Amino acid sequence: MERRETTILAHAKINLTLDVTGRREDGYHLVKMVMQSVALHDEVRVATVSGERKGRGIVLTCSLPYLPVDERNLAYRAAERFYVETGLLLETVEIHIEKRIPVAAGLAGGSTDAAAVLRALNDLTGAGLSLDELCRIGLTLGADIPYCLRGGTMLAEGIGETLTPLAPMPPCWVVLCKPPFAVSTKEVYEEMDAVEPETRPDTDGMIKALEAGDLAGVCSRLCNVMELVTGQKRRQIGEIRAFLTENGAAGTAMSGSGPTVFGLFTDEGRARTAAKMLRHRFADTFFTKTE
């Protein structure tokens, strides 16, 4: 029996900008957004086992007991799809996800775990797929997975799959706060169809600020049109943004379809203090940094 194992750090993402620019005939929405990795991550341990008397297929476990560990989980489906696409023999794949990224939070927690599984299996099996090929497989599972495979500072267009590397974001401290409710991305996109934002992100200005290494310029251009929908329903989003600003954040915004709000800080001490204070009210509050 041969066992091979690896651990991948699956990083969360935030949206520095997010604009919904249209809708395709197939119902998918077109977006234009600047995405950024942060240090907050899940740990995804993947092992392949060959030579057992009877293969066990995909065996997924998770540190959160309420998360599904079958084909309802994106990481499970990523393993399935990898073997279908490569034509390799599936004997036993063991996956364990140690969750730190909050669930249904607008931070790509599920997508980043799926991306980690694809990367791990590519290494463990010696399949030798290129990053572009992994991204193609990932896109069949979710629009955020290609970004999660690449990470860093990226402009994402189309349905999120057309990625352009940008100048790296100047390092800063990040406080993430997820209020205690989930948001349906699908429902937020549907409601966006009936909304005409008065203010849209200055994406070109954001890109120029990144090129100049101008953190103040980045912070002043944080903008997410989806906040029009999610923020109107849930007053906590505005309250968290106001709290972060009052406690030293240079800029705040909602990430993805929400509900997580983040603040960018230049002062580590103020960021730690703000996170500690927010955690008294919202358990899912994290002190982290750009990655």
Side-chain angles (χ1 to χ4, degrees), residues 89 111 115 162 175:
L89 175 65
S111 294
T162 304
V175 176

Side-chain angles (χ1 to χ4, degrees), residues 47-52 54-59 76 79-84 86-95 121 125:
T48 56
V49 187
S50 58
E52 290 180 304
K54 186 177 181 183
R56 290 172 285 133
I58 299 163
V59 182
Y76 186 104
E80 278 187 322
R81 187 61 56 86
F82 178 85
Y83 280 92
V84 168
T86 58
L88 295 170
L89 175 65
L90 168 60
E91 294 188 69
T92 299
V93 173
E94 298 172 356
I95 303 167
L121 288 175
T125 64

